[in-house]
Amino acid sequence: MAESPASATVTVRLFGRLADQFGRELNLPVTDDCCVGEVRRGVGMPEGKVRACIGDNMVTDAHPVRAGDEVEFFPPVSGG
Amino acid sequence: MRLPSRLSEGAFDPATELAALTDAAPGAGAIVSFVGLARAEGALGPVEQLFLEHHPRLTQHSLDQIAQAARDRFAVEVISVVHRCGAVAPGKPIVFAGAAARHRRAAFEAADYLMDRLKTEAMFWKREDGPGGSLWIEPTDADRADRQRWE
């Protein structure tokens, strides 16, 4: 049975203050030609100092996103 | 001898780490180390704990990268980085950063470099928790200026 667009989702994982604000893990519906920027806006995160990561690699907002992808968003890090 | 960078889910003892660093560098003429401790006061008042959130894979990778960059850049024999994750009580160690070298200048600079990079690039998200509330900590302008010194 072919997947309908309504069942196509990505898993979004958030860290730090973003998780407090939007949740630790979300499922977001996506279309065929989705990109990271649209996922960011779909969560409701403003543009700013938040980096995106897919498969342990940092990606830009233009990076394509497909159903089944896991997209992580990181607020500014602070160690030490 | 090479010491792997370590992400520590529980408490570590800086004296033990310093001894391990010294033992790993029998040819060194200089050992320099830094210990960062959790503060008891934050912007919202008394701090009951500092919580360090980490990434399941990228946090260790960031420690490894920063330590390797120090090995590549400075004439050091051994680099040691140990960094807590999870809850740290006030006054307890968060991070140990150390360098062993034949001469002191390289050891001092490598330890300084390690801390400036760890403060701004190690993949943690730090939260101060206390009776006044919780506050996520980000690098300060001073942290960023310190990091820029090495560019």
Side-chain angles (χ1 to χ4, degrees):
Chain A
M1 185 175 79
E3 256 190 346
S4 70
S7 68
T9 63
V10 295
T11 301
V12 176
R13 290 205 181 82
L14 302 175
F15 291 80
R17 60 175 169 81
L18 295 177
D20 284 357
Q21 206 171 345
F22 299 103
R24 174 70 50 194
E25 189 170 303
L26 318 168
N27 285 307
L28 228 62
V30 292
T31 57
D32 281 345
D33 55 355
C34 196
C35 65
V36 167
E38 288 170 65
V39 174
R40 182 196 292 265
R41 286 185 288 279
V43 174
M45 287 186 291
E47 305 289 333
K49 298 177 292 183
V50 171
R51 291 183 297 165
C53 179
I54 297 178
D56 291 352
N57 293 303
M58 297 303 176
V59 295
T60 66
D61 273 13
H63 195 279
V65 167
R66 295 168 302 192
D69 277 349
E70 294 179 352
V71 187
E72 295 174 316
F73 288 99
F74 305 147
V77 298
S78 181
Chain B
M1 181 183 147
R2 181 150 150 166
L3 293 177
S5 301
R6 204 165 88 245
L7 179 62
S8 182
E9 293 194 359
F12 68 87
D13 174 32
T16 302
E17 303 304 332
L18 182 58
L21 172 59
T22 306
D23 287 347
I31 311 279
V32 171
S33 66
F34 171 88
V35 178
L37 305 172
R39 291 194 178 88
E41 280 285 319
L44 300 182
V47 175
E48 288 172 341
Q49 73 171 26
L50 179 70
F51 184 78
L52 291 128
E53 185 179 347
H54 70 286
H55 186 279
R57 295 168 300 282
L58 294 181
T59 298
Q60 179 67 59
H61 183 64
S62 72
L63 300 182
D64 294 342
Q65 264 193 317
I66 291 168
Q68 188 56 46
R71 286 185 200 102
D72 291 343
R73 181 166 180 152
F74 301 101
V76 293
E77 312 256 329
V78 185
I79 291 291
S80 173
V81 173
V82 182
H83 202 303
R84 283 293 317 274
C85 60
V88 183
K92 297 302 182 185
I94 304 165
V95 61
F96 175 93
R102 288 179 61 78
H103 303 290
R104 70 182 186 284
R105 188 60 50 222
F108 273 119
E109 289 190 334
D112 198 12
Y113 172 85
L114 284 170
M115 281 314 304
D116 287 346
R117 290 209 55 187
L118 288 168
K119 291 294 278 186
T120 54
E121 295 170 56
M123 194 163 283
F124 296 93
W125 298 277
K126 289 195 300 195
R127 192 187 69 223
E128 289 176 341
D129 298 330
S134 290
L135 183 68
W136 290 99
I137 304 298
E138 296 187 5
T140 62
D141 289 343
D143 291 330
R144 280 183 278 266
D146 285 341
R147 172 67 185 92
Q148 278 303 113
R149 293 186 300 152
W150 302 102
E151 293 303 309

